[in-house]
Amino acid sequence: MAMRALVVLASASACSPLTGRSWILGATHKTGTVLVNSVMRETDAEVLTFGQLLKPEADVPTGAIQVSNHLKWSNDTVVTFLDWAKDRKEDLRIAIFVRDPLEVILSAYFYHLRTDEWWVHEVMASNPMWDYFGECQPEDPQGRGDSVAMAGCEIQKFHAGNFTYQQMLNAVDVTIGIAIEARRSYHDISSMNKTFSVLKKYPHVARIYDLDDVTSSSEAYDANFADLFDFLGVDDVAHCVDQAAKYDLRRETKSALLAHTMASSMTTVRDALRVLIRKVPWFQHNIQPSREAMNYAYNDE
């Protein structure tokens, strides 16, 4: 998937960077990609790829804002962008949104059961990606946990039967569905962990925000975005927070009621699934290390 960047041009009503300041904002799968892009699109935006952005001849305005949904960071990436900003005589600020990997898996599972995104409605046999995810090991020789071993067999079966990903998730038992989503989300979670590990080494230019904390209440939402915009450097923090508030679903009466109803009905189910998936050996071996590295293991207590 091509990485995309959102370059935002300043306007009179926009949430605009301070002079000589450049921003990079990022999120990975199920960690706020829609929210980040929505907030930033309150400005007049032009979409570029990162490849275009880094070309010397690229006509990128001073004070550009870049937003990437799946940017994989390394130390070299940070140095590259620091050099890029230095060449432009700008101060760089980086902010990313992360989330407990366990919550990423659960959120992805429930989202993919109902979403209209095109790829979940694509016949799996037409996408070679599922050849890898469909590895079937019914005897579980690696001790990954029955649900994960069975997930590969289920993917293989539905792949052969010309089903879509969403049809498969809705047809299998919820424990198998969660295991399928865990396998599919593994690389996104590994990327998020690597990004977290790299950027925490650069506190002078980078800040990390937890999506579940940001969306836990309207007060937390405003406080996090106030901190974000103050860190990034804007002409008017309060104005920027007001712009961001448009995308806080808790402020919408209907959305808030729906969210409360859904949250109440799903709490017991999600709690049970959290306990269940943490017991799977494959999860303990492949996902738990990322949770511990990102300081989310305390949620198990």
Side-chain angles (χ1 to χ4, degrees), residues 2 4 25 54 73 77 90 96 125 136-137 158 162 226 253 277:
R4 298 176 69 78
L25 286 84
L54 290 175
W73 288 86
T77 309
E90 293 185 335
I96 63 165
C136 180
Q137 298 185 7
F158 281 91
N162 288 325
T253 303
I277 196 170

Side-chain angles (χ1 to χ4, degrees), residues 92-96 198-200 202-208 231:
L92 179 66
R93 294 293 182 272
I94 302 167
I96 63 165
V198 169
L199 292 186
K200 71 178 183 180
Y202 296 88
H204 59 297
V205 296
R207 191 155 294 182
I208 300 168
F231 170 71

Side-chain angles (χ1 to χ4, degrees), residues 109 112-114 120 124 150 154-155 157-159 161-178 180:
Y109 170 71
H112 292 145
L113 287 174
R114 299 287 180 267
V120 301
M124 295 170 66
M150 291 172 61
E154 290 295 326
I155 292 174
K157 180 176 70 177
F158 281 91
H159 180 281
N162 288 325
F163 287 87
T164 67
Y165 185 69
Q166 190 171 91
Q167 288 172 334
M168 176 180 64
L169 283 186
N170 280 282
V172 300
D173 179 81
V174 63
T175 56
I176 300 299
I178 292 290
I180 289 172

Side-chain angles (χ1 to χ4, degrees), residues 42-112:
E42 279 300 306
T43 58
D44 298 326
E46 177 185 356
V47 179
L48 301 173
T49 66
F50 270 88
Q52 290 172 315
L53 198 59
L54 290 175
K55 289 181 179 178
E57 66 273 19
D59 184 19
V60 181
T62 298
I65 303 170
Q66 312 162 43
V67 178
S68 172
N69 288 353
H70 298 280
L71 183 58
K72 295 176 176 61
W73 288 86
S74 67
N75 287 307
D76 288 343
T77 309
V78 177
V79 172
T80 296
F81 280 108
L82 285 172
D83 288 343
W84 176 80
K86 183 178 180 180
D87 289 342
R88 292 159 54 86
K89 295 181 173 58
E90 293 185 335
D91 290 327
L92 179 66
R93 294 293 182 272
I94 302 167
I96 63 165
F97 287 71
V98 299
R99 195 177 192 183
D100 184 341
L102 177 57
E103 300 306 318
V104 169
I105 294 169
L106 291 175
S107 178
Y109 170 71
F110 287 109
Y111 175 73
H112 292 145

Side-chain angles (χ1 to χ4, degrees), residues 25-37 67-71 95-105 107-108 111-112 184-185 188-193 195-196 208-215 225 294 296:
L25 286 84
T28 56
H29 182 60
K30 305 308 295 178
T31 69
T33 55
V34 174
L35 175 61
V36 172
N37 279 280
V67 178
S68 172
N69 288 353
H70 298 280
L71 183 58
I96 63 165
F97 287 71
V98 299
R99 195 177 192 183
D100 184 341
L102 177 57
E103 300 306 318
V104 169
I105 294 169
S107 178
Y111 175 73
H112 292 145
R184 200 200 62 78
S185 300
D188 286 327
I189 290 170
S190 296
S191 175
M192 177 175 66
N193 179 33
T195 300
F196 176 91
I208 300 168
Y209 295 87
D210 179 85
L211 179 67
D212 289 317
D213 179 56
V214 172
T215 59
F225 273 104
M294 297 175 67
Y296 284 113

